[in-house]
Amino acid sequence: MAVTPLGFTQTARAADPCGTKPADYVGVTYRVIAPAVIIRITFLAGGKFEYELEDGVVHQGTYTATPQELTLISESTDHSDFRGCDGTSATPGFLAFPGALAVRST
């Protein structure tokens, strides 16, 4: 009995990495969804970001991006657990942090 492969015959490859350097985030806004709060965070040039809380006060912080994780530093330090990449953009579609999910705004 002959076996006929279905689908592609080429070896699958992983999607290109995204969100591995600060420039991948510049100008992008994410909606952060956490149990107690929903905010928007906007990444700026120079490794800085801004976020506005529900009370309307704008806060600032800094960030770094490496192939391993995205790190946000403001009142606390948060490290991403996962960055969702679709292989078509250098900017992740979503970011997962312990206790919160951030979804890219369009």
Side-chain angles (χ1 to χ4, degrees):
M1 173 187 308
V3 176
T4 304
L6 301 175
F8 295 107
T9 58
Q10 296 177 339
T11 304
R13 70 178 186 87
D16 294 332
C18 70
T20 60
K21 55 189 178 296
D24 293 345
Y25 297 92
V26 174
V28 179
T29 299
Y30 287 85
R31 182 173 174 233
V32 179
I33 304 164
V37 67
I38 296 175
I39 62 172
R40 292 192 187 278
I41 181 170
T42 301
F43 291 89
L44 308 171
K48 298 183 187 301
F49 70 91
E50 293 181 342
Y51 61 99
E52 183 176 345
L53 297 177
E54 293 172 330
D55 62 6
V57 176
V58 175
H59 299 265
Q60 296 182 342
T62 59
Y63 70 95
T64 59
T66 67
Q68 291 75 34
E69 66 186 3
L70 171 67
T71 302
L72 306 178
I73 303 167
S74 57
E75 287 85 18
S76 62
T77 300
D78 296 299
H79 303 277
S80 63
D81 287 334
F82 184 80
R83 293 173 280 193
C85 305
D86 65 7
T88 63
S89 173
T91 302
F94 70 91
L95 308 167
F97 291 90
L101 180 65
V103 181
R104 185 174 62 204
S105 296
T106 56

